[in-house]
Amino acid sequence: MSVVLILVVAAPLLGAALLLLPGVGDRAARLIGVGATAAALVGAVVLACAFRRGRGMRFETDVSWAPSLGLRFHLGIDGISLPLLVLTALLTLLVAVHSLWNIPPGGSSRAFVALFLLLETGTLGTFAALDLILFFLFFEVVLVPMYFLINRWGSPGERGPASYKFILYTLLGSAVMLLGFLLIQAKTGTFDMVELADRHGAGMSHGVQVLAFLAIGLGLAVKVPMWPLHTWLPDAHTAAPTAGSVLLAGVLLKMGTYGLIRIAVPVLPEGAETFAPYLAAFGVVGIVYGSLVCLALLRDPDGDLKRVIAYSSVGHMGFALLGIATLTPQGVNGALFVNIGHGLVTGLLFFLAGAVKDRHGTALLGRLGGGMYGRTPRLGALVAFGAVAGLGLPGLAGFWGELLAMYGAYEPGAGLSVGGYRTFLAIAGLGTVLTAAYLLGLVRRLCMGPAGGEPAAGVDVTGPELVVWTPLVALTLVAGLWPATLLAITDPAVRALMGGS
């Protein structure tokens, strides 16, 4: 099965290589994209079916890569990385299918498909890497294709500044993170993530752990994105094409929280304990801040639908940060559930936002008007479904992660202030109320009332659109109604990673 994992990571890259062959036309390029991403998803499902729950890594490949530098090509997955691997493969396949009929002008179809295939390889590799330098390299691979997707195929007038801001923020964060990795290796003599997690900080002084956690945490916090390092995200989402927005929100943001769970917390436990209250504080500020900005955008005639969804991501990822910062299995499991739920729901919302923009020629709320239930009832119903899933309605995927994160805050890990974390819990609770306010306000603004704004072009939900969106709707329901399915996979790995029973 280790070969299957390598093929899952390599399949999109092989697809991108095929696009370099002469004579590949636009239609063939789009079909190659679907084929490569489908192969990756099939492989990921095979791994999920063969996965044996419990502690330890599965399907490992560990070979010497650069002996003089102590680098190894070390891949493997456990209950923490497997759900993210499957989510990445699913969302990228849906993007590939969507691209069969919807690639915005700005460049060749071959280039567009090659870029999101390269992005998928980098993301899958990030979730499978078990060597710090290999993790860093895959982490960096993701940045270049996303930059070009925004810069070449994004909205005119916005794509240039947004892409520059994206690449500057993320590259600077990555550089700081690399310094933390090098410091760890200098003190322990290894880049192996499994060995480092098993040591739980042995061989590193308190000062070294604090410094390394600060560097790694800052680099990963940019990608989360954590308030106040989030400012690149709304611009990137507003300018990006639909495919870019779906992958950015559904997959790329998860790399930040995954890195905190996989590397920073288990490898640097004393650093994690030192910075956990600050991480929680920034997380809950992000929850409230993101909600307040969304409420303000709803009242602004120039407010952008995609910008509202982008700021909602700042708030939702704040719950993931709060869960991680509790340093408890319940909180970390909650953060992982937030990752999956947010990926499904926000991926759906950005697909829907793209469909609304295609029909109306704009995503500005002041020009969209209302009356979607009357004009395009199926599209309106899907927008309402995505909104109530995003506000954390029980029975849908958005509920359980937030609940577990707040539950972890009620009884935080040893050494953390119970009073302080219960204050964070109260602020997060206020954030859930504000989240419900702006998402229900969005439904009221778009779906209810008399029709207004620009007239809708085209028809209601089409067959191809339904093919792309149905898996996200179904999985949002499955994750919400049967959360134990996902938690049974993540919980043993989380407890093992954190040194618990």
Side-chain angles (χ1 to χ4, degrees):
M1 281 296 173
S2 60
V3 175
V4 176
L5 178 58
I6 294 174
L7 291 175
V8 167
V9 176
L13 185 61
L14 294 175
L18 287 176
L19 297 176
L20 298 177
L21 297 176
V24 177
D26 284 353
R27 183 65 178 173
R30 299 180 197 212
L31 292 174
I32 288 172
V34 172
T37 54
L41 179 59
V42 169
V45 171
V46 169
L47 292 176
C49 292
F51 185 80
R52 183 169 55 86
R53 298 172 186 174
R55 296 166 176 254
M57 290 292 165
R58 306 286 186 265
F59 319 132
E60 282 189 80
T61 296
D62 187 7
V63 297
S64 180
W65 180 24
S68 60
L69 299 176
L71 304 182
R72 306 190 68 81
F73 185 80
H74 192 182
L75 298 179
I77 56 173
D78 63 359
I80 294 172
S81 50
L82 175 62
L84 292 169
L85 200 79
V86 176
L87 176 67
T88 299
L90 172 65
L91 284 176
T92 315
L93 172 59
L94 297 181
V95 163
V97 174
H98 179 263
S99 299
L100 286 175
W101 75 87
N102 195 330
I103 292 181
S108 71
S109 296
R110 285 207 302 174
F112 185 89
V113 173
L115 287 171
F116 75 68
L117 289 177
L118 183 59
L119 187 149
E120 182 182 16
T121 291
T123 310
L124 292 171
T126 299
F127 294 141
L130 296 177
D131 178 275
L132 289 177
I133 297 301
L134 190 62
F135 175 93
F136 174 79
L137 292 176
F138 279 123
F139 197 91
E140 290 297 282
V141 163
V142 172
L143 305 184
V144 175
M146 181 54 70
Y147 166 80
F148 282 109
L149 284 172
I150 298 172
N151 188 268
R152 292 291 302 276
W153 287 272
S155 301
E158 299 175 321
R159 58 193 181 193
S163 61
Y164 300 147
K165 197 171 186 179
F166 165 79
I167 201 71
L168 288 174
Y169 266 74
T170 51
L171 279 178
L172 180 60
S174 298
V176 176
M177 181 177 70
L178 179 60
L179 294 177
F181 289 169
L182 295 175
L183 178 59
I184 290 174
Q185 196 278 338
K187 297 299 180 180
T188 62
T190 183
F191 286 115
D192 188 270
M193 291 159 61
V194 177
E195 181 181 346
L196 289 167
D198 290 340
R199 292 184 183 183
H200 293 293
M204 290 181 282
S205 67
H206 176 79
V208 168
Q209 290 195 45
V210 168
L211 186 58
F213 189 96
L214 178 62
I216 295 170
L218 280 174
L220 294 171
V222 171
K223 186 59 70 71
V224 169
M226 181 183 77
W227 180 92
L229 303 175
H230 69 285
T231 56
W232 62 270
L233 182 70
D235 293 341
H237 271 311
T238 304
T242 298
S245 292
V246 170
L247 294 176
L248 182 58
V251 176
L252 267 67
L253 303 189
K254 313 305 178 284
M255 294 163 59
T257 50
Y258 173 79
L260 289 170
I261 295 169
R262 171 67 68 199
I263 301 170
V265 171
V267 174
L268 306 163
E270 293 181 29
E273 185 176 338
T274 298
F275 284 105
Y278 302 100
L279 199 64
F282 286 127
V284 296
V285 169
I287 294 170
V288 175
Y289 171 81
S291 299
L292 292 176
V293 172
C294 288
L295 287 169
L297 287 170
L298 289 181
R299 298 174 61 89
D300 184 357
D302 294 326
D304 190 284
L305 175 59
K306 294 181 70 177
R307 205 168 188 86
V308 172
I309 303 172
Y311 273 106
S312 77
S313 294
V314 175
H316 285 108
M317 298 313 293
F319 281 102
L321 288 172
L322 175 62
I324 295 168
T326 66
L327 303 183
T328 63
Q330 294 83 2
V332 174
N333 275 307
L336 291 169
F337 213 111
V338 168
N339 279 345
I340 301 303
H342 179 264
L344 295 171
V345 174
T346 310
L348 175 62
L349 284 172
F350 273 115
F351 272 130
L352 295 171
V356 170
K357 187 174 182 179
D358 290 341
R359 285 161 170 77
H360 294 264
T362 182
L364 297 180
L365 295 171
R367 295 174 59 188
L368 288 174
M372 191 177 289
Y373 284 155
R375 292 185 296 184
T376 51
R378 288 184 294 174
L379 184 59
L382 285 168
V383 169
F385 176 85
V388 297
L391 64 82
L393 185 72
L396 298 176
F399 173 72
W400 296 104
E402 296 179 6
L403 178 67
L404 287 170
M406 292 192 287
Y407 178 71
Y410 187 78
E411 291 290 345
L416 301 177
S417 168
V418 174
Y421 272 77
R422 290 184 181 175
T423 301
F424 296 146
L425 168 60
I427 298 172
L430 172 63
T432 62
V433 176
L434 295 173
T435 300
Y438 75 76
L439 284 172
L440 292 176
L442 182 65
V443 172
R444 182 171 180 267
R445 179 76 177 268
L446 292 179
C447 300
M448 301 178 182
E454 302 292 331
V459 296
D460 204 352
V461 177
T462 64
E465 288 175 332
L466 203 59
V467 169
V468 173
W469 302 340
T470 297
L472 298 177
V473 173
L475 289 173
T476 298
L477 287 167
V478 170
L481 294 174
W482 292 280
T485 304
L486 178 59
L487 293 173
I489 296 172
T490 63
D491 186 60
V494 167
R495 293 182 183 277
L497 201 63
M498 300 184 70
S501 57

